[in-house]
Amino acid sequence: MSLCYKSDQARYECFVKQMEGRLERAKVNETMRRSILEAKEELRFELMNLEKKQREKERKEMMKKVEISRSRNISNKGKKYSINFGYVIEATP
């Protein structure tokens, strides 16, 4: 029979021996878990900002293209026309 089962005191001492260091390990694991969660949150925030910046950049490029197309809205005949879905529609006499 094992020494841990001889008496209540022996059983308690075996239990205490098994539990040694568990609190410290739990604290270390908790700090590691929190730091990982904070790093993930920071990366998520940076990624959201990066996506937002990318969308803003694409929007600015599109607006530049629109302005360029608006500034060139005079046909070869000197008459104004409008741009519909990228096609030039000119009225024929």
Side-chain angles (χ1 to χ4, degrees):
M1 226 172 134
S2 177
L3 295 175
C4 290
Y5 296 108
K6 285 190 176 182
S7 68
D8 290 337
Q9 183 64 30
R11 201 172 349 183
Y12 176 75
E13 288 172 6
C14 286
F15 173 76
V16 169
K17 224 184 262 184
Q18 289 174 351
M19 294 299 145
E20 276 180 8
R22 277 203 171 174
L23 181 61
E24 289 79 20
R25 285 193 303 267
K27 286 180 181 179
V28 168
N29 288 342
E30 177 65 18
T31 56
M32 186 183 305
R33 186 184 67 80
R34 284 183 190 248
S35 67
I36 289 171
L37 288 175
E38 288 171 1
K40 281 184 176 181
E41 184 66 30
E42 186 176 323
L43 285 174
R44 187 178 304 121
F45 181 72
E46 289 176 10
L47 183 62
M48 286 173 52
N49 280 342
L50 183 65
E51 289 173 354
K52 187 176 180 181
K53 287 178 184 177
Q54 183 67 25
R55 283 193 308 268
E56 189 67 29
K57 183 179 175 184
E58 289 172 359
R59 184 179 165 277
K60 284 181 181 179
E61 288 174 4
M62 183 62 74
M63 291 306 292
K64 281 182 184 178
K65 289 178 183 178
V66 167
E67 280 300 317
I68 290 170
S69 69
R70 283 184 185 160
S71 68
R72 297 184 195 164
N73 69 344
I74 298 176
S75 68
N76 292 337
K77 298 176 185 176
K79 297 181 182 177
K80 287 197 170 195
Y81 62 84
S82 63
I83 297 177
N84 293 337
F85 305 106
Y87 295 105
V88 176
I89 301 172
E90 290 188 25
T92 56

